[in-house]
Amino acid sequence: MILSRAKRWALAYHDRTSRGPQGQRVTESIVRHIDHAESLLDVGCGDGVNLTRVSAAVGAKRREGVDVLVRPTATIPVTPYDGRHLPFPDRSFEAVTMIDVLHHCEDPMQVLREIIRVASRVVAIKDHFKFGPVSNGLLYWMDLAGNAKDGIPSPGTYFSPRRWIEMIHEAGGVVTALDWPLKTHDLPWRLVGWPELQFTAKIEPR
C-alpha cells in the first residue's frame, strides 16, 4: 500500500513539474516551425493535448490524430493505425507533427518515410540526439520514467545528429530549421534532461 501510494505521488509530481513545462516549450517550438497550416496531422498523438495546442496556434481548420494505442483519456478522436503505414494519400496534410515518438517505433525509417509522404509542406519533429553511451543511457532511463504511467514501450532507439540528417534525407526530406539545444525541463529534471539531448526540426519534403 505504501509503495503504491509513493509510486502514484512520484508519477503525479513528474507530470506536474516535468511534463507540463516540457509540453508547453515543445509545442511552442513546433508552432514556430509550422507558422500557419490549414490542415494538421499528429502521428502518435497520445491524449491529443499537443495536437489541440498546436492546431489552435497555427490555425488548422482540419486536424487529425493517429496512434497505435488509442487511449481512453484522449481528448480528440484518434484513428488507430499499425505503426508503419499511415491511412492517408500522398500530401494529405499541409503539416505533420511527431513529438517524442520516433524512438519508440519498431521501424523508424518507415515511419519517417510515411510522415514525409503525407505532408504537402512541412513536418515538425521533436525527438532526442544521442552523443555516446552516457547520453544513450540517460535518454533510456528518462524514457522509462516518463512513460511508466501510460505503459508505453521504450526500446531505447536513439540516433546521433549525423544519423538523423541521413535518415531524413533517405526518407525524402530535408532539414530546413533546427531548434537545438532545446530547454524542455526545469530543475531538478534538467540535471538529466539536458537541453543538448533535446531538439525540434523543421523538415520539408523534397
Side-chain angles (χ1 to χ4, degrees):
M1 179 68 75
I2 294 177
L3 288 176
S4 178
R5 288 179 179 174
K7 181 179 179 180
R8 288 198 300 270
W9 179 88
L11 290 173
Y13 178 77
H14 179 266
D15 277 351
R16 186 175 68 256
T17 62
S18 177
R19 278 192 173 182
Q22 177 196 29
Q24 184 67 34
R25 289 165 183 158
V26 167
T27 53
E28 288 173 354
S29 181
I30 291 289
V31 167
R32 287 194 294 270
H33 290 318
I34 297 174
D35 187 29
H36 177 82
E38 291 292 317
S39 57
L40 176 65
L41 171 69
D42 188 23
V43 178
C45 63
D47 59 13
V49 171
N50 288 329
L51 176 56
T52 300
R53 289 174 177 168
V54 174
S55 61
V58 304
K61 297 176 182 177
R62 174 190 169 209
R63 64 178 187 181
E64 296 196 35
V66 298
D67 210 317
V68 296
L69 175 65
V70 179
R71 303 183 193 181
T73 57
T75 58
I76 59 167
V78 179
T79 299
Y81 90 118
D82 63 4
R84 293 177 182 271
H85 306 96
L86 289 170
F88 306 105
D90 295 356
R91 311 299 180 236
S92 296
F93 297 88
E94 185 178 349
V96 178
T97 56
M98 189 172 64
I99 299 175
D100 282 331
V101 170
L102 199 76
H103 57 271
H104 294 287
C105 298
E106 294 181 0
D107 190 343
M109 273 303 306
Q110 173 65 15
V111 174
L112 274 177
R113 291 189 190 98
E114 283 290 281
I115 62 174
I116 292 172
R117 176 185 67 79
V118 301
S120 66
R121 184 176 65 83
V122 61
V123 173
I125 286 181
K126 156 66 176 75
D127 217 286
H128 307 308
F129 285 146
K130 75 168 185 178
F131 298 94
V134 173
S135 59
N136 193 91
L138 275 175
L139 290 170
Y140 178 66
W141 287 107
M142 285 171 57
D143 262 348
L144 288 181
N147 292 287
K149 181 180 178 181
D150 299 308
I152 298 172
S154 299
T157 307
Y158 313 109
F159 304 102
S160 67
R162 178 176 180 178
R163 182 55 186 150
W164 262 104
I165 299 298
E166 292 173 346
M167 289 168 57
I168 290 167
H169 186 268
E170 292 169 17
V174 58
V175 176
T176 58
L178 188 69
D179 193 353
W180 175 82
L182 179 66
K183 177 187 173 184
T184 57
H185 295 79
D186 293 324
L187 293 172
W189 307 107
R190 203 188 318 152
L191 295 175
V192 291
W194 303 339
E196 292 78 10
L197 304 181
Q198 319 287 336
F199 76 92
T200 64
K202 178 181 179 180
I203 300 167
E204 296 181 23
R206 286 190 286 111

